[in-house]
Amino acid sequence: FPSHDRRGVNSTEDIKNLESTQIPMYILPVDIFYNKADIGKFIKDNQITVVQFESAQTFMEIGVFLQESLNIPVLLEFHDIEATLRETINAKESVEVLEYTQYISSILADHIICFTDLDKQHLLDRLYVPDDKITLIPNGIREEDFPIMHADKSQTLVFVGNLFYLPNQESLVYILDKVFTLILEEYPNVKIKVIGMTPNSLIERYQKSLNINFLGEITNQEIYLKELQSSLIGLSLIFSVS
């Protein structure tokens, strides 16, 4: 598990939040993660047999080196196709460069993982990745898990996300500081609840507001669904894609 400034693992308290997982995790400082020689030695010393990257740029910078120097398979995961994502948020100035980077990295990667049919089709049609080189692993959402409830949804908003991840945190802070304050001027009874792992500093920042409720991480599915179903509007906002 590579930790750097956008992953938010900065203290022993943050580390404790990861203890419940059964998957071995290694938290690496930035200077090691982005040093090819150091990361190569770390992978070799810990007998790691497969490496997976979630960024085409990082794959090109480090993944290719690991492929060649350690002779191990290196996978590339597209949890979204960044070039098309930038198109949708009107950040088109770097789309061609990103798409070219993704094209080259797709050729060099040993295998590719994506999560949606749309992304797979993009890889096939625009990046010319062979079908047998792509594994589709859907992020499944079953309609039966979200039965219709006639709950009181009046004036309740919900934000869901891991707030140790900086892009999510940026989004929430923007909503609370720039948008929610305007809503409260006209609808003073509106409340917003936040679901997800949250740094204490963020909770303390808004602790005086009775209209903002941080629920933390909810692992019980029944409680989680109840909180979602009792909300009128779900909030989602993107400023950055890395």
Side-chain angles (χ1 to χ4, degrees):
F1 178 84
S3 169
H4 51 86
D5 59 337
R6 298 187 70 80
R7 295 298 175 184
V9 182
N10 301 308
S11 67
T12 53
E13 180 185 355
D14 298 338
I15 294 173
K16 288 180 180 179
N17 289 321
L18 303 173
E19 289 181 346
S20 61
T21 179
Q22 299 300 310
I23 302 173
M25 288 190 175
Y26 304 93
I27 300 174
L28 307 178
V30 179
D31 56 345
I32 291 180
F33 181 73
Y34 287 107
N35 183 301
K36 291 187 288 189
D38 285 347
I39 196 68
K41 182 178 184 303
F42 175 85
I43 290 172
K44 186 175 182 180
D45 290 346
N46 287 277
Q47 299 181 336
I48 296 171
T49 57
V50 178
V51 181
Q52 178 175 311
F53 287 88
E54 298 182 6
S55 162
Q57 295 93 321
T58 310
F59 169 83
M60 293 297 296
E61 183 179 350
I62 304 173
V64 175
F65 167 80
L66 297 177
Q67 261 182 331
E68 296 175 349
S69 62
L70 301 180
N71 193 31
I72 60 174
V74 180
L75 311 182
L76 178 58
E77 173 196 312
F78 284 112
H79 57 271
D80 54 54
I81 307 297
E82 190 175 345
T84 56
L85 179 58
R86 284 185 175 270
E87 287 177 346
T88 63
I89 62 175
N90 202 31
K92 299 181 179 180
E93 67 281 352
S94 57
V95 167
E96 290 185 1
V97 174
L98 281 171
E99 196 156 56
Y100 181 73
T101 302
Q102 291 167 348
Y103 168 70
I104 296 298
S105 63
S106 297
I107 292 174
L108 297 176
D110 291 288
H111 201 75
I112 295 172
I113 298 169
C114 64
F115 299 135
T116 69
D117 289 314
L118 184 65
D119 286 344
K120 180 177 180 179
Q121 206 59 46
H122 176 93
L123 293 170
L124 293 171
D125 296 344
R126 291 179 61 172
L127 300 186
Y128 306 103
V129 180
D131 185 88
D132 60 0
K133 195 176 183 178
I134 305 171
T135 295
L136 178 64
I137 306 176
N139 285 326
I141 298 177
R142 302 184 307 170
E143 291 183 6
E144 54 267 32
D145 288 338
F146 294 87
I148 296 174
M149 285 181 56
H150 298 288
D152 178 14
K153 297 185 178 183
S154 60
Q155 301 189 40
T156 304
L157 315 178
V158 63
F159 183 100
V160 180
N162 172 17
L163 293 164
F164 285 91
Y165 181 51
L166 188 56
N168 288 347
Q169 190 175 139
E170 289 174 344
S171 300
L172 178 65
V173 168
Y174 180 86
I175 289 172
L176 296 180
D177 291 353
K178 304 296 185 180
V179 180
F180 194 51
T181 52
L182 298 177
I183 294 174
L184 289 175
E185 290 178 4
E186 190 164 350
Y187 303 98
N189 295 322
V190 170
K191 298 186 183 299
I192 181 171
K193 52 191 175 186
V194 182
I195 299 174
M197 296 169 59
T198 308
N200 285 333
S201 58
L202 196 61
I203 297 174
E204 293 169 359
R205 176 172 175 170
Y206 298 102
Q207 63 182 353
K208 294 182 179 180
S209 175
L210 299 178
N211 297 77
I212 304 171
N213 186 14
F214 288 91
L215 302 181
E217 182 183 17
I218 300 177
T219 58
N220 183 292
Q221 185 180 28
E222 184 177 350
I223 297 174
Y224 176 68
L225 293 177
K226 182 178 179 181
E227 293 295 345
L228 292 183
Q229 292 162 343
S230 63
S231 305
L232 178 65
I233 296 176
L235 302 170
S236 178
L237 186 65
I238 293 176
F239 284 111
S240 57
V241 294
S242 61

